Amino acid sequence: MAYDFDLFVIGAGSGGVRAARFAAGFGAKVAVAESRYLGGTCVNVGCVPKKLLVYGAHFGDDFEQAEGYGWSLDKADFDWATLIANKNREIERLNGIYRNLLVNSGVELLEGHARLLDPHKVEINGQHYSAKHILLATGGWPQIPDIPGREHAINSNEAFFLKTLPKRVLVVGGGYIAVEFAGIFQGLGAETSLLYRGELFLRGFDGAVRQHLKDELTRRGLNLQFNADIARIDKQADGSLKATLKDGRELEADCVFYATGRRPMLDNLGLENTGVKLDERGFIEVDDQYQSAEPSILAIGDVIGRVQLTPVALAEGMAVARRLFKPEQYRLVDYQHIPTAVFSQPPIGTVGLTEEQAREAGHPVQIFESRFRPMKLTMTECQERTLMKLVVDARTDKVLGCHMVGPDAGEIVQGLAIALKAGATKQLFDETIGVHPTAAEEFVTLRTPVA
């Protein structure tokens, strides 16, 4: 049977665009459908604008620390509207780049909501298209718990378009999005509280990292409230919000921001017209080659709920394009040693196993740790401390995990990820000459395991 397209991609986020571009480069006839914005969550309401806001939130500290280096500054003023307008301008520029990437690759871009009619047919803007393969890359969407007054809360998408910076913010959640936005709001001058229903945030990260960040955020004055959850939200006569907690306490705020999880974006996608199955969490179920229960339909990225990170979606998109149209270059995505960063203040960088994971897997573990005040801060009043940690298999000397909390953690850990992927031992770390004076050299000068 002749099809209109060899590959029809629904969703022009990172993974979908990567798959489409490379499939077209391999000679396939490709279309991409997108109903919202080019670049997906990351470019529009995720990692890119968030990092821009994180940069903005850092300047208060920079101005304060500059005094220790002889700079006399007048009182600095911050304007939220300027930050958001400049952020919007940058995102629009990136949208244009994504558009050019697709069009210049020979991909046909269809703007509108695409819906599956059957395993090989898609409807968009009233038009029907057939495809040999259909790739679902529709991403995820933030969700707010179904509590009374949930309509008064905002999610991470809406936070990027607030007209003004709230004076008092309640951030609800214990994942990296909650921690990052709590730092953004506080850094830009809002009175900020972080509420999490568990004992300690960032579940799944190394225990020392979690505790160290808790201590540093507390030192910075962020109001951390653990074992705390909101039962209802009420709008007051003056427009402010009253959050009633499950323990009966009441907190007042101007903004309640929820970062309590994301669901797969499957709304009106037409999955019922196919044999695609969902897993117990509601994500699309796929095999190791991203094929769903319907052989012609594949899925990648946040919509499959594996590792919800932009570089992972890119790798999955590349794998799909290669398997379908350049099989001699195909290789499985390696989900081991995926580095990640949390752009908290201070930031986290991590790769490999946590101490807890290593022990649970049966490794005889040696731990190397260092906590120190960064050199940049020694001439300032700031008492922030950096944590660096190596998890090593005592039997093989192989480095299993690298973890850091401190300035430039993400930048430093990227290079360490290559070393871990190559199977580096602690001896190789020890024999590597450090760059002096830097914080990064600490990773190659950790000599004595902690008790």
Side-chain angles (χ1 to χ4, degrees):
M1 175 182 174
Y3 296 101
D4 297 324
F5 296 99
D6 299 309
L7 177 67
F8 195 106
V9 181
I10 302 180
S14 301
V17 168
R18 172 64 62 89
R21 288 178 56 218
F22 277 82
F26 296 147
K29 189 176 182 185
V30 184
V32 171
E34 176 55 58
S35 60
R36 286 190 185 85
Y37 28 56
L38 299 177
T41 295
C42 179
V43 168
N44 295 276
V45 288
C47 31
V48 172
K50 173 197 68 186
K51 188 76 179 287
L52 295 176
L53 266 58
V54 167
Y55 284 137
H58 265 292
F59 279 100
D61 287 344
D62 293 341
F63 294 146
E64 188 176 302
Q65 292 163 14
E67 294 179 8
Y69 288 88
W71 289 90
S72 297
L73 302 171
D74 294 330
K75 185 179 181 299
D77 290 319
F78 169 70
D79 183 62
W80 171 265
T82 298
L83 173 61
I84 297 303
N86 289 341
K87 179 270 296 181
N88 291 343
R89 189 178 306 114
E90 173 61 9
I91 301 309
E92 288 171 9
R93 185 184 73 85
L94 294 175
N95 291 153
I97 288 175
Y98 267 74
R99 181 181 298 277
N100 290 337
L101 284 173
L102 285 170
V103 173
N104 293 340
S105 298
V107 176
E108 184 168 340
L109 176 60
L110 304 170
E111 297 185 69
H113 181 82
R115 186 170 182 275
L116 297 165
L117 299 176
D118 66 33
H120 290 281
K121 208 169 290 178
V122 177
E123 178 185 26
I124 178 170
N125 300 330
Q127 298 292 313
H128 292 188
Y129 300 93
S130 63
K132 184 175 182 180
H133 305 283
I134 297 172
L135 176 63
L136 306 179
T138 49
W141 202 255
Q143 55 185 352
I144 297 174
D146 190 15
I147 61 170
R150 69 187 297 273
E151 67 275 11
H152 302 309
I154 67 167
N155 60 36
S156 56
N157 289 2
E158 298 161 306
F160 290 111
F161 301 98
L162 288 170
K163 298 296 184 186
T164 59
L165 176 67
K167 289 189 172 72
R168 300 166 299 173
V169 182
L170 299 181
V171 177
V172 185
Y176 70 91
I177 296 174
V179 171
E180 290 172 336
F181 269 97
I184 289 169
F185 284 125
Q186 187 199 31
L188 294 176
E191 181 184 317
T192 308
S193 299
L194 176 61
L195 280 65
Y196 177 49
R197 64 185 181 182
E199 295 282 343
L200 186 61
F201 50 35
L202 296 178
R203 184 166 51 89
F205 283 77
D206 188 272
V209 166
R210 300 167 72 197
Q211 185 61 47
H212 188 87
L213 185 65
K214 175 192 172 186
D215 295 342
E216 290 301 326
L217 294 181
T218 301
R219 193 199 308 271
R220 292 176 68 90
L222 184 64
N223 179 17
L224 298 175
Q225 299 200 29
F226 298 118
N227 299 305
D229 204 3
I230 295 177
R232 65 175 298 119
I233 304 169
D234 294 289
K235 193 160 192 175
Q236 309 292 86
D238 64 357
S240 65
L241 302 175
K242 180 178 74 176
T244 303
L245 306 192
K246 289 182 178 178
D247 62 12
R249 289 183 298 135
E250 295 180 348
L251 301 175
E252 290 195 354
D254 303 298
C255 174
V256 178
F257 170 95
Y258 266 86
T260 50
R262 296 174 65 85
R263 64 177 177 86
M265 193 40 147
L266 305 174
D267 300 7
N268 194 29
L269 193 53
L271 293 183
E272 68 278 5
N273 299 324
T274 72
V276 172
K277 294 180 180 177
L278 307 182
D279 64 20
E280 66 280 357
R281 299 175 302 149
F283 293 92
I284 294 177
E285 200 172 80
V286 295
D287 63 15
D288 288 344
Q289 297 183 333
Y290 311 104
Q291 187 171 292
S292 73
E294 185 70 71
S296 62
I297 298 179
L298 306 99
I300 59 170
D302 290 0
V303 79
I304 65 174
R306 289 187 180 175
V307 181
Q308 298 182 46
L309 296 171
T310 295
V312 174
L314 291 170
E316 292 170 346
M318 176 72 83
V320 165
R322 283 174 168 160
R323 185 176 75 82
L324 295 180
F325 306 109
K326 198 80 168 176
E328 64 273 20
Q329 292 184 8
Y330 173 66
R331 55 184 176 271
L332 289 169
V333 175
D334 181 6
Y335 290 96
Q336 301 298 312
H337 302 127
I338 295 174
T340 189
V342 179
F343 296 106
S344 47
Q345 298 182 47
I348 295 169
T350 182
V351 62
L353 298 182
T354 66
E355 179 180 346
E356 295 79 10
Q357 289 168 339
R359 293 189 188 281
E360 190 176 327
H363 294 279
V365 170
Q366 274 190 318
I367 302 299
F368 297 82
E369 249 185 44
S370 178
R371 297 168 193 263
F372 57 92
R373 193 172 172 217
M375 183 178 180
K376 180 184 177 182
L377 301 182
T378 56
M379 300 209 303
T380 75
E381 297 299 315
C382 181
Q383 299 301 311
E384 179 184 296
R385 297 182 70 78
T386 287
L387 165 70
M388 290 183 171
K389 178 174 180 176
L390 292 178
V391 181
V392 179
D393 186 307
R395 183 176 56 247
T396 65
D397 199 43
K398 188 174 180 179
V399 179
L400 303 173
C402 300
H403 309 280
M404 177 178 174
V405 184
D408 301 315
E411 308 290 345
I412 291 170
V413 164
Q414 176 67 79
L416 295 176
I418 301 171
L420 260 67
K421 194 169 180 64
T425 61
K426 180 63 170 64
Q427 182 180 345
L428 285 173
F429 272 62
D430 294 342
E431 292 174 353
T432 299
I433 295 174
V435 180
H436 184 74
T438 65
E441 70 178 314
E442 196 77 11
F443 272 117
V444 297
T445 58
L446 293 168
R447 293 290 184 262
T448 308
V450 299

